[in-house]
């Protein structure tokens, strides 16, 4: 039924199993419990079980976890015949990436006598890195094989960790919610990959590159979960106390303002004043992306709402006017429009972060300034911090674009079982398909790829 | 494709953007971080980061947040052609209401030198107020435009805040889970609005005023999330410690008992003994509503289960016998049956709260009595507290009915783009519709409103 | 429309209402608040509201709650015409079981002057017991009436509590995540019940014993929620501090490794290399089951990943090769394949737990050993603990198989309204069905059971 090029019989098992075996070996060599998860270490040092990191980070972790697996996974089910792959490959890529991220982030962010010490913060950071890979997945959705995605994840996780390391450790950047490290990086990396993988004849699959009624409602599950838990995402790894609290609050109001902007502009740009599900599903989230850097700062709810409003606006306008141009002029086929949801709002978030950092002072933060800007002191002014924030954006864009370019070419090799132009956005080439819904008394079966191909 | 009356081209953008701009300005003038979110204030006063409110309230907040956006949103997707609007307008109205509620509740519940101080408790209270608006939305679902809903939200949030202020501050009522302030208020307000907006020819849309197989399963997502997280809802703003713990426990058992009553009576009232999805989706939740007031009190699991059982019973019987009468005799077209889920169980909850308050004494609560009944002392007896609870119910019903009456007439003005009688319960007048599911090899498109109109 | 045998008109109401009334009476006689939920007791003893159990257990409880009601409920919606029953009967059975489990576990695990003291730990344990019943429900899914399931739950909850009591109290077994008590017990109990209820002519309903496209996506909602929250499940009742933290971490990595194994072997065993949704929906979860016992121990992430990898592998192979043999040779019709998801991985988890316990020592755990192995001391060696773990597995298997046998015969009585062979996996015999989706302009209705029967 399936021609050779997309048959995964040996390739996917070999890749999955070999990668997992390598991961297990690396974990065996490198990974140890940290002071909050190791029985002996904890009991040697502890004062009180209730001071374990678990109680202050794990609820945030679970919210982030839901965003990664339900949020991203279901957001991408909007395609009518790609629901299995959207949720299923999201699941596969994320399960791989979080393990690989534990290793790469652990190695870069500080080994302890040659060992990576793990606890709940590592779980959150691994999920964050995974989020970045899933953003890139959104750009190439429907046009790649699961093996291509795993290969992309191998490289992207590595580059993510290196970029993050440079930003946080060397440039001293603040980016708790990842406007730069997660969103900007993931979006531009993915856009460059999809540019390199450009398919001039993708229109042969255009009948499937759209939603149906129920698939749009499934996608709203993803949207709403991302929207609700974004306050937890942005605050998951900030300093404890007021910082975490403030970040959640800022994100809450930013998203609410963003949502009204999204509905307003979605109706405005439609010639009949109708709302477009693509905008609601995506642009309403841009407010979370855009306060990813500044959310922990004293941005105020007022400032957060302005940022959210702008983010929703540019995101809707991007979907309406910029995406068609990117596709026709720059040959960037961005399936989920990640440029509008993660790219531009991510850059906006980086700039807002720099501006807010520039305004930092002890008169605003009091003694709390060390929690948000540990580097700011008499030597290192707020303006210098702002400069480092902007430098971090530039570094991130550089890594993302260059990395995406190279990885794009690696993914172009004809060995991964990518779908032909006529069978993009189609589950049946990688999945055993169930029968179709009983209707008028007969059980019809799904068209085979060959039949589908003939139709095109 | 769309006739003028429902075209949202300029109206929805203007309303959304103007409202959001006003909100942003109000936040700029009025809103400040509170002592747990402001860097300076927190660090001036703090003893320990782990004592920040965030750690004791935020998990509850997130559960409430899920109820508001997923719970209410998906519960209403049961209509076959109104899924986009159910989830989508729920999203819009809620995003607006939570901002507006922050302002209104903040202004009424105590300004600090002219400023509203915000933290996680404000987020929970804003979500609560939003819940009330969404209950009213349920009563008019399918028969109103998004602009009507935003206008309704402007007034309802305001009245909600005033009513809540009178109850809590002036009458000293206890209502942590909102049997009165949220459910009774939201239900009777919405019922009065839908009464005023009565459509004698709504039967022209009756083909769409029902569910299909998949839409009922989507609705169950909403039901189950509401059911699971109701213990968090009722306990979100109670005193810390035993009170919060007890409230969650009482609600857990109340809901479980309610569910068995719902299944039992649903099968009993059906002439073939079949279960009705409408009952399961709604009545099984009545147990949460009915312990909204007494949940924090020493109601005992035993008492909670009795209340839950009664709530499930009256809710099913309401759907079966009362709703048809309300529609035919009182001309109340209650799309989601909010009278059965929120109205009657809310009143029941208020009465149960008064009875339980009347039985309060130091011999039962020990020193914990001040957490639940701060007003009870030698001067103010438990019976007086019970009286104040009943007075609060009366005030709430008065505000809801009078408010709903006035707002109903405001919403009757022919300027909001309400759907014609033939196009109620129909997404396509407000949303760009995707193609229909591929079936038998052809991609069919959704009928335009004009075509649909002809069929009726 | 419905023949007598499946008509629930009087039977389901009587069963639901009588059971609930009995439960309410039992709660009235036996149940009291515990020291963390009772106002007086808490205020007499308390040091600090923030030390209330609620803050350390309730977030875990809510995650477990989601797994029970959304996870199990939606996982079983994969059947094309059994979505109402899957979610709806899951809801009913769980709401009953958690109340009954509170009583049975309370009576067995220690009365206080004849009273059961309840708080959040009781809620978690009741949900755990419910999980076991739902596993058994998965084995008989589609072939039983709701009354049969309630009767099964009455007996299974009782046996569960007795088995758990023997394991924990008498054998001193460690099983925080329930590899034995929950998964092994639930699976083999259910398998035995379905064996006794063997239907030689079940093939008459085979057209409905499979999924359709959307039902598989609904099922993925269940899968992903189970997968995400399994770390909370395994850690919900462990000791506080490092133990809870470590358990969540181990489960996280076990599941990730399991997922890669699942994808790899799913593609490997398919002759076209296509992925099978049944494997992804189920086998990817086996990693959580298999660290249910050892998760709290110093298994290390490395060890957890090996266990997860093995669990995923045997689960996929079980679905592919063992399930057909169980059905054809042993006449075990296991609708959801619980043997592959809960049975074998549960046994694996028990064995892994015994091995890990055998390796326990103070040099590894330090003073933390008392939290994980309170029984291990100079008298009672780690090897003896391991032996008790294995004995516990044997006892569990004995209880499950013998209990399932007896309960199976009880359920065989022709008084519960079980569906005929031709109408298994069919919602319409127990539910009022909505119309079918509008399609090509006409509203078709669901076939009545009689019509369906004629087709077979």
């Amino acid at each position: 039924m399936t021609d050779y090029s997309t048959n995964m019989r040996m390739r996917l098992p070999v890749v999955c199993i070999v990668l997992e075996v390598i991961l297990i070996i690396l974990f065996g060599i490198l990974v140890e419990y940290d002071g909050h998860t190791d029985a002996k270490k904890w009991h040697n040092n502890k004062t009180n079980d209730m001071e374990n990191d678990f109680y202050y980070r794990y609820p945030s972790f679970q919210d982030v976890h839901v965003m990664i697996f339900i949020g991203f996974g279901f957001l991408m089910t909007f395609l009518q015949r790609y629901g299995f792959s959207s949720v299923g490959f999201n699941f596969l890529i994320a399960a791989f990436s979080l393990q690989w991220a534990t290793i790469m982030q652990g190695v870069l962010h500080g080994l302890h006598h040659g060992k990576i010490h793990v606890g709940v913060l590592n779980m959150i950071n691994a999920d964050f890195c995974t989020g970045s890979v899933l953003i890139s997945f959104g750009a190439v959705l429907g046009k790649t094989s699961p093996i291509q995605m795993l290969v992309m994840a191998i490289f992207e996780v590595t580059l993510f960790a290196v970029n993050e390391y440079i930003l946080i450790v060397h440039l001293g950047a603040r980016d708790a919610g990842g406007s730069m490290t997660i969103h900007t990086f993931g979006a531009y990396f993915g856009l460059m990959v999809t540019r390199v993988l450009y398919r001039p004849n993708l229109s042969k699959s255009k009948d499937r590159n759209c939603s149906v009624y129920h698939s749009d409602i499934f996608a709203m599950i993803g949207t709403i979960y991302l929207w609700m838990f974004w306050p937890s995402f942005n605050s998951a790894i900030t300093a404890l106390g007021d910082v975490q609290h403030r970040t959640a609050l800022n994100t809450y109001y930013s998203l609410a303002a963003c949502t009204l902007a999204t509905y307003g502009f979605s109706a405005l740009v439609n010639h009949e004043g109708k709302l477009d599900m693509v905008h609601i599903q995506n642009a309403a989230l841009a407010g979370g992306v855009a306060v990813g850097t500044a959310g922990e700062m004293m941005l105020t709810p007022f400032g957060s709402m302005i940022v959210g409003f702008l983010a929703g606006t540019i995101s809707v306008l991007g979907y309406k006017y910029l995406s068609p141009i990117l596709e026709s002029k720059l040959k960037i086929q961005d399936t989920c429009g990640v440029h509008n949801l993660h790219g531009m709002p991510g850059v906006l978030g980086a700039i807002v972060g720099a501006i807010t950092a520039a305004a930092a002072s002890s008169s605003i933060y009091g003694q709390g300034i060390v929690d948000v800007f540990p580097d700011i002191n008499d030597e290192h002014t707020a303006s210098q911090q702002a400069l480092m924030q902007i430098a971090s954006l530039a570094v991130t864009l550089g890594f993302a674009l260059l990395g995406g370019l190279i990885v794009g070419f690696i993914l172009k090799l004809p060995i991964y079982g990518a779908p032909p132009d006529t069978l993009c956005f189609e589950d049946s080439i990688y999945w055993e398909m169930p029968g179709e819904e009983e209707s008028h008394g007969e059980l019809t079966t799904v068209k085979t790829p060959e039949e589908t191909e003939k139709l095109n």
Side-chain angles (χ1 to χ4, degrees), chain A:
Chain A
M1 294 256 263
T2 311
D3 66 277
Y4 178 74
S5 71
T6 62
N7 189 313
M8 296 279 116
R9 181 74 192 265
M10 294 313 300
R11 284 180 286 184
L12 188 58
V14 166
V15 171
C16 286
I17 294 166
V18 167
L19 283 179
E20 189 56 49
V21 169
I22 292 171
L23 284 168
I24 291 176
I25 294 170
L26 287 172
F27 267 71
I29 297 170
L30 290 170
V31 175
E32 276 183 0
Y33 292 123
D34 72 10
H36 287 244
T37 47
D38 186 273
K40 196 172 183 176
K41 291 183 212 163
W42 176 251
H43 282 267
N44 282 348
N45 302 316
K46 78 153 178 176
T47 50
N48 188 329
D49 273 332
M50 291 156 183
E51 287 177 15
N52 194 290
D53 254 4
F54 183 78
Y55 303 105
Y56 304 94
R57 301 289 186 190
Y58 187 74
S60 305
F61 160 73
Q62 272 299 356
D63 291 350
V64 171
H65 216 39
V66 171
M67 293 174 72
I68 297 297
F69 287 87
I70 287 283
F72 281 105
F74 275 85
L75 181 56
M76 296 191 278
T77 58
F78 74 96
L79 290 169
Q80 58 178 292
R81 295 297 299 175
Y82 210 61
F84 288 11
S85 303
S86 295
V87 176
F89 294 158
N90 187 83
F91 189 18
L92 171 63
I93 299 161
F96 166 72
S97 298
L98 66 87
Q99 296 176 78
W100 180 226
T102 302
I103 298 291
M104 288 310 302
Q105 292 177 322
V107 166
L108 283 164
H109 289 282
L111 294 170
H112 305 259
H113 303 291
K115 299 287 182 184
I116 299 164
H117 286 185
V118 293
V120 66
L121 271 170
N122 302 69
M123 293 159 73
I124 298 171
N125 277 312
D127 268 31
F128 274 5
C129 177
T130 298
S132 199
V133 176
L134 298 177
I135 291 166
S136 305
F137 178 42
V140 297
L141 188 74
K143 302 169 295 182
T144 47
S145 76
I147 296 179
Q148 276 177 302
M149 288 302 90
L150 286 169
V151 171
M152 184 180 84
I154 297 170
F155 290 105
E156 187 170 359
V157 166
T158 310
L159 285 167
F160 175 98
V162 172
N163 181 58
E164 185 189 39
Y165 172 71
I166 293 172
L167 262 60
I168 307 302
V169 178
H170 287 289
L171 299 176
R174 302 301 295 174
D175 194 21
S179 288
M180 294 181 284
T181 54
I182 301 168
H183 300 288
T184 303
F185 180 82
Y188 288 97
F189 185 96
L191 290 167
M192 191 51 104
V193 169
T194 199
R195 173 64 191 83
V196 176
L197 299 180
Y198 178 67
R199 290 170 181 260
N201 299 312
L202 187 61
S203 62
K204 287 183 180 172
S205 288
K206 74 170 185 301
D207 284 356
R208 283 184 306 273
N209 188 8
C210 55
S211 63
V212 289
Y213 193 67
H214 278 144
S215 70
D216 266 325
I217 297 181
F218 276 118
M220 281 302 283
I221 298 175
T223 297
I224 300 285
Y225 269 102
L226 288 167
W227 195 91
M228 293 186 303
F229 288 166
W230 217 295
S232 303
F233 189 95
N234 283 348
S235 66
I237 59 162
T238 65
L240 295 181
D242 64 301
V243 189
Q244 200 165 10
H245 197 161
R246 182 168 63 244
T247 311
L249 187 81
N250 287 338
T251 309
Y252 175 77
Y253 288 116
S254 173
L255 283 163
C258 178
T259 302
L260 266 85
T262 298
Y263 276 81
F265 282 94
S266 182
L268 188 66
V269 300
N270 182 287
H271 68 97
E272 296 179 273
K274 291 186 180 181
L275 295 162
D276 191 326
M277 262 291 168
V278 172
H279 304 156
I280 308 307
Q281 284 160 2
N282 293 281
L285 300 167
V289 174
V291 295
T293 303
E296 66 173 327
M297 304 174 191
M298 291 287 287
L299 182 59
T300 75
F302 172 63
S304 305
M305 288 160 75
I306 293 172
V307 174
F309 189 89
L310 286 176
T313 304
I314 61 172
S315 189
V316 170
L317 298 179
Y319 275 101
K320 183 72 182 181
Y321 302 109
L322 192 56
S323 283
I325 295 172
L326 289 184
E327 176 149 2
S328 60
K329 305 290 179 198
L330 298 184
K331 298 183 178 174
I332 294 172
Q333 293 159 327
D334 177 5
T335 310
C336 295
V338 302
H339 187 247
N340 310 305
L341 169 49
H342 302 278
M344 291 189 296
V347 172
L348 173 64
I351 295 167
V352 170
I355 294 169
T356 317
S361 76
S362 295
S363 68
I364 297 170
Y365 291 80
Q367 290 165 21
I369 198 162
V370 292
D371 284 351
V372 184
F373 300 107
D375 291 350
I376 290 185
N377 54 36
D378 294 348
E379 307 282 292
H380 183 85
T381 65
S383 309
Q384 282 171 306
Q385 179 69 35
L387 224 65
M388 287 297 112
Q389 298 289 134
I390 292 295
S392 296
L393 174 61
V395 169
T396 299
L397 285 169
F399 262 101
L401 292 171
L402 192 63
L405 185 73
I406 295 165
V407 173
F409 279 105
I410 294 171
L411 297 181
K412 236 183 153 149
L413 299 175
I415 56 173
Y416 307 110
D421 291 345
T422 49
L423 287 171
C424 288
F425 316 113
E426 172 63 49
D427 275 336
S428 66
I429 50 177
Y430 299 122
W431 297 85
E432 274 297 317
M433 296 303 281
E436 280 202 355
E437 209 144 333
E438 215 175 317
S439 144
H440 308 290
E442 52 186 316
L443 195 73
T444 60
T445 51
V446 169
K447 279 178 298 303
T448 62
E450 285 72 26
E451 289 166 359
T452 310
E453 210 154 3
K454 277 179 211 142
L455 288 172
N456 286 287

